[in-house]
């Protein structure tokens, strides 16, 4: 089965627009029953420069900053941030920290009421994190009594608003397991069977899902992959990411080049300083030898009966320097 790659922003957007799929995704990732979900995707627009066909080349592309407010079956509301990131770039962590800070500062309006909701984050990564060798990991908080060392089972509003749990999916670690509900969801994001090396926004899905929720997802992805306009949008997104990656690479290359030039310049200056220090040391040594010669000559003159005034006049020494 050929499907659209859900790691592409426009594809993931389409999935999350389907409430059934969104509930299934969040319920499975968070391991709790989600009875209501409202997504608030944050988007930016990429335009090819110069624009040739405004209809095709000017599209809204998600920067994978998704915000969902959810209601679990225990009556708890929370805000879930979903981050999809295919490449590993240095500024991504800083970008999302800023985004996370904005979400912490935001008051949410639900049914006309103001809420400060606890936050949970989900990261879907197209790269590996060093030392974390699993397709799916949870960073979980716990309250610890520092006096007794025991876990505190109660939850507190203050603490819940200022800290958060995180879920991290590493698509490169997704295996051929297809047993649990989570395995089946992760199989959708597997990144091993691209359509080709040049076309990575389409991939082959090699499972036969019996679960109705998984089949609902693959049906959507199959339709996107077969639709000409959707493929054009995916091509544009791929181009946008290529340009962004190229700019980042060029910018990083400029930084590395400037760094190497600075290091070379510093090394050159250090060598010049070292040479000057050697020259000064040699000069000081020569001056000291000359001084010792003059002092020895002054001693000789003193032994011949010369007066201090005569020795000063002949050697140029100060009166204090004459070895009387």
């Amino acid at each position: 089965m050929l499907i659209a790659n859900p790691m592409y922003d426009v594809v993931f957007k389409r999935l999350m627009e389907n409430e059934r799929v969104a509930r299934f995704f969040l319920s499975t990732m968070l391991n709790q029953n989600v009875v209501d979900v409202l997504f608030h995707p944050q988007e930016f627009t990429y335009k090819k420069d110069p624009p040739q066909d405004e209809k095709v080349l000017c599209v809204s592309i998600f920067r994978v900053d998704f915000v969902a407010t959810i209601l679990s079956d225990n009556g708890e509301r929370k805000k879930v941030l979903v981050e999809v990131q295919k490449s590993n770039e240095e500024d991504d962590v800083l970008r999302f920290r800023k985004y996370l800070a904005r979400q912490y500062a935001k008051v949410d309006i639900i049914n006309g009421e103001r809420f400060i909701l606890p936050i949970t984050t989900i990261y879907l990564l197209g790269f590996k994190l060093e030392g974390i060798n699993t397709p799916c990991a949870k960073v979980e908080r716990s309250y610890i009594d520092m006096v007794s060392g025991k876990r505190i089972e109660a939850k507190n509003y203050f603490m819940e608003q200022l800290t958060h749990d995180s879920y991290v999916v590493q698509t490169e670690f997704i295996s051929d397991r297809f047993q649990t509900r989570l395995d089946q969801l992760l199989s959708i994001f597997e990144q091993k069977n691209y359509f080709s090396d040049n076309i990575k926004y389409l991939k082959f899905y090699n499972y036969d899902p019996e679960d109705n929720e998984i089949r609902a997802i693959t049906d959507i992805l199959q339709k996107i992959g077969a639709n000409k306009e959707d493929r054009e949008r995916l091509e544009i997104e791929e181009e946008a990411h290529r340009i962004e990656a190229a700019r980042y690479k060029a910018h990083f290359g400029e930084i590395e080049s400037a760094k190497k030039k600075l290091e070379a310049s510093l090394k050159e200056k250090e060598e010049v300083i070292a040479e000057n220090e050697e020259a000064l040391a040699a000069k000081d040594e020569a001056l000291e030898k000359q001084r010792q010669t003059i002092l020895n000559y002054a001693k000789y003159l003193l032994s011949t009966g010369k007066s201090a005034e005569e020795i000063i006049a002949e050697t140029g020494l100060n009166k204090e320097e004459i070895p009387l």
Side-chain angles (χ1 to χ4, degrees):
M1 182 190 308
L2 187 64
I3 64 173
N5 189 342
M7 287 297 287
Y8 280 74
D9 304 337
V10 292
V11 180
F12 192 72
K13 167 188 180 280
R14 191 75 62 82
L15 287 179
M16 294 301 105
E17 285 175 341
N18 185 298
E19 185 179 349
R20 175 184 176 185
V21 170
R23 278 204 313 268
F24 173 74
F25 173 82
L26 291 170
S27 294
T28 305
M29 286 301 307
L30 303 177
N31 194 27
Q32 59 180 283
N33 188 26
V34 174
V35 296
D36 186 31
V37 57
L38 179 62
F39 257 95
H40 313 278
Q42 319 293 303
E43 59 182 289
F44 75 98
T45 299
Y46 164 71
K47 290 185 180 180
K48 187 173 180 179
D49 188 24
Q52 296 174 359
D53 184 340
E54 196 68 17
K55 267 190 173 179
V56 175
L57 295 175
C58 179
V59 295
S60 294
I61 297 178
F62 277 79
R63 184 52 177 158
V64 282
D65 292 340
F66 293 91
V67 185
T69 55
I70 67 169
L71 175 65
S72 59
D73 56 0
N74 62 5
E76 181 186 13
R77 285 197 181 273
K78 68 173 65 174
K79 184 189 300 187
V80 182
L81 312 184
V82 185
E83 169 84 356
V84 181
Q85 186 62 47
K86 292 194 292 296
S87 60
N88 188 7
E89 299 174 0
E90 286 186 359
D91 63 344
D92 287 326
V93 171
L94 181 59
R95 177 180 63 83
F96 196 67
R97 280 177 65 127
K98 290 179 179 177
Y99 175 66
L100 190 59
R102 289 199 301 271
Q103 293 302 325
Y104 263 108
K106 186 177 178 183
V107 175
D108 295 281
I109 309 296
I110 302 174
N111 298 326
E113 293 186 53
R114 295 164 58 89
F115 290 90
I116 300 176
L117 298 175
I119 287 176
T120 296
T121 55
I122 299 174
Y123 303 93
L124 299 169
L125 306 180
F127 52 90
K128 295 179 180 178
L129 300 176
E130 186 178 353
I132 312 298
N133 302 323
T134 178
C136 192
K138 180 181 180 181
V139 182
E140 188 175 25
R141 300 162 302 143
S142 59
Y143 301 179
I144 303 297
D145 185 331
M146 295 294 289
V147 176
S148 67
K150 295 180 180 178
R151 182 190 294 267
I152 300 172
E153 299 301 333
K155 285 189 176 182
N156 175 268
Y157 176 85
F158 179 85
M159 293 181 178
E160 288 297 301
Q161 309 313 309
L162 297 178
T163 57
H164 68 272
D165 292 337
S166 290
Y167 298 78
V168 180
V169 172
Q170 299 180 91
T171 57
E172 291 193 21
F173 278 113
I174 296 174
S175 66
D176 295 328
R177 277 174 50 100
F178 200 71
Q179 299 171 9
T180 68
R181 191 185 189 194
L182 178 61
D183 289 336
Q184 293 173 40
L185 176 62
L186 293 179
S187 71
I188 299 293
F189 296 91
E190 191 178 48
Q191 300 291 296
K192 296 177 182 176
N193 301 299
Y194 297 126
F195 182 75
S196 71
D197 289 338
N198 296 325
I199 302 178
K200 295 185 178 181
Y201 53 81
L202 296 177
K203 73 187 194 84
F204 291 101
Y205 187 71
N206 297 326
Y207 303 91
D208 184 17
E210 296 180 359
D211 187 287
N212 290 332
E213 307 298 338
I214 298 296
R215 187 167 293 280
I217 294 175
T218 56
D219 285 347
I220 293 172
L221 296 178
Q222 198 171 20
K223 287 177 183 177
I224 296 172
N227 184 279
K228 182 182 177 182
E229 290 184 2
D230 286 332
R231 288 201 307 272
E232 287 175 345
R233 287 184 174 87
L234 285 168
E235 288 173 4
I236 293 169
E237 181 179 337
E238 178 70 10
E239 181 182 8
H241 284 296
R242 273 200 304 268
I243 291 173
E244 196 175 1
R247 285 175 179 169
Y248 176 80
K249 187 176 180 181
H251 178 63
F252 185 75
E254 289 173 3
I255 292 173
E256 284 296 302
S257 177
K259 182 181 175 183
K260 287 179 180 178
K261 286 181 181 178
L262 179 61
E263 288 174 349
S265 176
L266 289 173
K267 186 177 180 182
E268 186 178 338
K269 288 179 180 179
E270 287 172 356
E271 289 174 354
V272 170
I273 290 170
E275 289 174 2
N276 290 339
E277 287 177 346
E278 289 178 6
L280 287 172
K283 184 178 179 181
D284 289 343
E285 185 178 355
L287 288 172
E288 182 60 25
K289 285 182 180 179
Q290 184 181 12
R291 182 172 178 277
Q292 288 298 325
T293 300
I294 293 173
L295 288 173
N296 290 333
Y297 181 57
K299 287 180 182 179
Y300 167 74
L301 293 176
L302 190 64
S303 67
T304 62
K306 294 280 188 178
S307 67
E309 288 74 14
E310 290 174 315
I311 295 172
I312 290 170
E314 194 165 340
T315 62
L317 293 172
N318 295 325
K319 188 173 182 181
E320 293 77 14
E321 294 178 304
I322 298 174
L324 299 174

